[in-house]
Amino acid sequence: MTEKSSTAADDLLAVAVRIAREAAETARRMRDEAITDVQTKSTDTDVVTAADRAVERQVVEALRAERPGDGVLGEEYGDSAQPTGGAVRWIVDPIDGTVNYLYGLPQYAVSLAAEVNGVVVAGVVRNAATGDEWTATRGGGAWRGPRRLSGSARTTLDQSLVATGFGYDPARRAHQGRVLAGLITRIRDIRRFGAAAIDLCMAAEGMVDAYFEKGLNPWDHAAGGLIAAEAGLRVSGLDGDAAGKQMLVAAPPALFGPLHDVLVELDAAGGA
Ligand code: IPD
Ligand code: CA
């Protein structure tokens, strides 16, 4: 990495961290003041709160003020401006873990990443309930505060604690349930915390050994995926595909192959 691009990623991260902290504070405050406006989105279980929208608006406005030429892709409002060649695009999930937010479970986060020419170069995930914060720049490592992250050192799948998540669509869930039934006898145990961005950071930190999920959107994994990769995890889809809607697997190199092969065997990227 050249000095120039490293500085750019650091600059983008500084902007991301500042804006994510302010956004997390808004999310937490709105939760304290009680959620009043709860609507459903894609299905009856896919909720969006007034806070999701307010936090995303705040992030978009802060980015517009500070970096008016950049594009923004957000979970609630979509693509608000496509960048022209070479420009930066921000990817924001205002509240990842919306269902936890609804119930007051302290596992919801603001996720903000900066992409340059389609490549994520900086990202921050901030748990708005606890203040835990994870960051990364491409080539600059993954960090939780002053501590550099390096993932789990575990090497055997049958001793691995694996996090995952489920989509909101019932047909997708049915398939994900079948995959889970096939996997659970071959690993130590499963964790489902309810916020993909935090799951990825927990894998980066080695608080779980690996994570996988089908159906994620870019805002779910842009920042957390970089953080996991910079912690030394392999982050990818199945059969050499890039991580994306079909599948994202994040695992230390020694575990990636065994987990990948079981997921292929169980057709984890298939179904709805
Ligand atoms: C969801 C959470 C959940 C994951 C879902 C995501 P949201 O995001 O990250 O853990 O399993 O796939 O859609 O709706 O809380 O922003
Ligand atoms: Ca999300």
Side-chain angles (χ1 to χ4, degrees):
M1 171 174 290
T2 66
E3 191 54 37
K4 189 166 179 286
S5 64
S6 155
T7 305
D10 287 347
D11 288 348
L12 293 168
L13 181 64
V15 171
V17 167
R18 195 164 60 251
I19 291 176
R21 285 182 184 171
E22 290 164 3
E25 180 50 29
T26 299
R28 199 197 49 76
R29 183 175 43 74
M30 289 186 80
R31 170 87 205 134
D32 287 350
E33 288 166 0
I35 302 163
T36 48
D37 178 9
V38 179
Q39 296 167 32
T40 54
K41 218 161 42 169
S42 59
T43 71
D44 284 351
T45 49
D46 186 1
V47 296
V48 59
T49 66
D52 289 85
R53 296 208 173 92
V55 173
E56 185 165 317
R57 270 198 307 274
Q58 178 180 322
V59 170
V60 171
E61 278 163 22
L63 288 168
R64 287 265 172 281
E66 203 157 328
R67 301 184 55 98
D70 295 353
V72 185
L73 173 66
E75 170 155 30
E76 308 307 334
Y77 294 105
D79 246 324
S80 49
Q82 286 295 340
T84 48
V88 171
R89 182 170 78 154
W90 297 86
I91 304 176
V92 57
D93 193 341
I95 302 178
D96 185 39
T98 308
V99 175
N100 289 341
Y101 186 74
L102 192 61
Y103 282 77
L105 294 166
Q107 198 82 349
Y108 55 88
V110 175
S111 169
L112 183 57
E115 204 182 61
V116 178
N117 296 325
V119 176
V120 178
V121 300
V124 56
V125 173
R126 185 173 177 97
N127 182 328
T130 63
D132 293 336
E133 186 179 276
W134 298 266
T135 60
T137 51
R138 185 159 294 275
W143 301 82
R144 178 164 170 177
R147 190 154 52 87
R148 191 168 184 159
L149 305 178
S150 56
S152 162
R154 204 163 306 283
T155 55
T156 52
L157 188 60
D158 62 352
Q159 293 297 310
S160 292
L161 186 61
V162 179
T164 191
F166 309 108
Y168 293 108
D169 171 48
R172 173 162 300 159
R173 285 188 169 185
H175 185 72
Q176 287 174 317
R178 287 189 288 273
V179 172
L180 196 60
L183 181 65
I184 195 140
T185 53
R186 296 155 84 162
I187 58 176
R188 183 192 294 275
D189 209 344
I190 279 284
R191 290 293 180 269
R192 196 293 194 245
F193 294 112
I198 297 179
D199 291 336
L200 282 158
C201 294
M202 292 178 77
E205 199 168 339
M207 294 170 79
V208 293
D209 296 305
Y211 164 74
F212 76 96
E213 186 163 344
K214 176 185 165 75
L216 293 180
N217 288 298
W219 45 83
D220 297 314
H221 66 83
L226 177 67
I227 292 164
E230 285 295 325
L233 277 65
R234 198 163 153 197
V235 180
S236 144
L238 299 183
D239 295 320
D241 287 349
K245 197 97 185 154
Q246 283 301 109
M247 179 53 64
L248 181 148
V249 184
L255 290 179
F256 185 91
L259 179 57
H260 170 277
D261 293 352
V262 173
L263 292 173
V264 168
E265 183 191 318
L266 296 170
D267 188 27

